[in-house]
Amino acid sequence: MIALADCNNFYASCERVFRPRLNGKPVVVLSNNDGCVIARSNEAKALGIKMGEPAFKNRYIFEKYGVHIFSTNLALYGDFSDRVMSILSSNVPEIEIYSIDEAFLNLEGIPNKDHFSFELRENVLKWTGIPLSIGVAPTKVLSKMANSIAKNKSENNIYILEHTDSINRHLKEFSISKIWGIGWQLTKKLNSMGIYNAYQLTRKSDSWIQKHMTITGLRLVKELRGEPCLELKKK
């Protein structure tokens, strides 16, 4: 089983660590020139502030709701990332650091993955102040999906996706556009062929998938079916 550990609203969470009074309040982080929104707390998202939008378009919202605004501090975020990844790597047999705030974890040999994930999340929060969402599944692509469920639908930000019936149910609810590795152009193409969710895609034959999505797409779909094709990349 593979877990994807993802720091929640990472840049905004880093800014909150030294300012606990901001917990529960809207926070945004702007790009280097303070031009665009590149991170939002959940409270800021609820106000309708969109990722990547120019800051000037949100000035009215910022002022009306008292949004707390920060400029990017990459040195700070890098330091927190190193701390989080160090804790994660010390608790699993293998890790792939995917980005500054995400890592795939190999949970092979770990018996109670639900309890382990809960303890890992609590330890990272206790030692760094950064909240995590953890999704666990048989493959990397499914762990991405499980992480999305953990972040948006789970009370404790942890979700284990492992049984066939459960996987298929969520595949039917998961739109093509949300699948890791499928961009908007491929989404548009698949939609034009009547494929709108991940389950519909997994029902297509291997030859059809390779013809329309290449060998890379075939690996992705096999991962959605629960067949591991993408190994963890060690750095």
Side-chain angles (χ1 to χ4, degrees):
M1 296 287 278
I2 301 294
L4 177 65
D6 183 13
C7 300
N8 297 344
N9 310 317
F10 182 52
Y11 291 180
S13 293
C14 290
E15 297 293 350
R16 279 175 161 172
V17 171
F18 300 112
R19 303 171 182 85
R21 63 184 177 81
L22 297 183
N23 291 330
K25 297 180 180 180
V27 174
V28 301
V29 177
L30 304 180
S31 54
N32 285 329
N33 60 357
D34 289 348
C36 297
V37 175
I38 61 171
R40 307 157 295 162
S41 67
N42 288 336
E43 297 78 10
K45 294 175 185 178
L47 294 176
I49 299 170
K50 294 180 173 58
M51 183 72 84
E53 270 194 341
F56 74 86
K57 287 189 175 182
N58 292 285
R59 289 300 175 191
Y60 174 76
I61 296 177
F62 292 166
E63 294 172 5
K64 180 178 179 179
Y65 295 100
V67 177
H68 298 267
I69 305 167
F70 295 91
S71 298
T72 301
N73 187 341
L74 292 180
L76 175 68
Y77 309 150
D79 180 62
F80 271 107
S81 176
D82 289 343
R83 296 183 193 183
V84 171
M85 298 306 167
S86 177
I87 296 169
L88 296 178
S89 62
S90 66
N91 282 275
V92 295
E94 190 178 13
I95 182 173
E96 175 190 335
I97 299 175
Y98 182 66
S99 67
I100 192 172
D101 60 350
E102 290 179 278
F104 290 102
L105 314 175
N106 182 353
L107 302 190
E108 183 179 357
I110 297 173
N112 190 332
K113 295 171 179 60
D114 198 356
H115 177 73
F116 171 82
S117 298
F118 178 81
E119 290 293 317
L120 184 60
R121 184 183 188 280
E122 290 299 300
N123 287 336
V124 170
L125 184 62
K126 177 181 177 181
W127 295 335
T128 70
I130 302 297
L132 291 179
S133 291
I134 300 177
V136 181
T139 70
K140 289 174 74 173
V141 174
L142 285 175
S143 73
K144 270 278 192 179
M145 187 169 78
N147 186 274
S148 177
I149 298 168
K151 185 169 291 186
N152 297 299
K153 298 182 180 180
S154 173
E155 292 184 1
N156 65 359
N157 290 131
I158 294 168
Y159 197 80
I160 312 295
L161 188 62
E162 56 182 332
H163 302 298
T164 301
D165 289 345
S166 177
I167 291 173
N168 286 337
R169 175 167 58 85
H170 285 295
L171 287 174
K172 291 175 182 178
E173 298 171 352
F174 218 72
S175 69
I176 288 294
S177 62
K178 294 181 180 179
I179 299 173
W180 180 45
I182 294 186
W184 69 270
Q185 286 185 321
L186 184 53
T187 294
K188 186 177 180 180
K189 176 182 177 180
L190 292 172
N191 286 169
S192 71
M193 297 176 176
I195 300 172
Y196 298 96
N197 63 55
Y199 181 79
Q200 292 173 320
L201 185 58
T202 62
R203 298 303 95 187
K204 292 295 184 179
S205 68
D206 288 0
S207 59
W208 187 97
I209 294 166
Q210 186 164 342
K211 176 182 177 181
H212 295 285
M213 298 177 62
T214 74
I215 189 66
T216 300
L218 179 58
R219 293 192 192 100
L220 183 153
V221 175
K222 285 185 175 182
E223 287 253 329
L224 285 173
R225 294 171 180 160
E227 180 182 338
C229 295
L230 305 176
E231 297 181 354
L232 266 65
K233 300 175 182 178
K234 301 177 182 179
K235 289 187 177 181

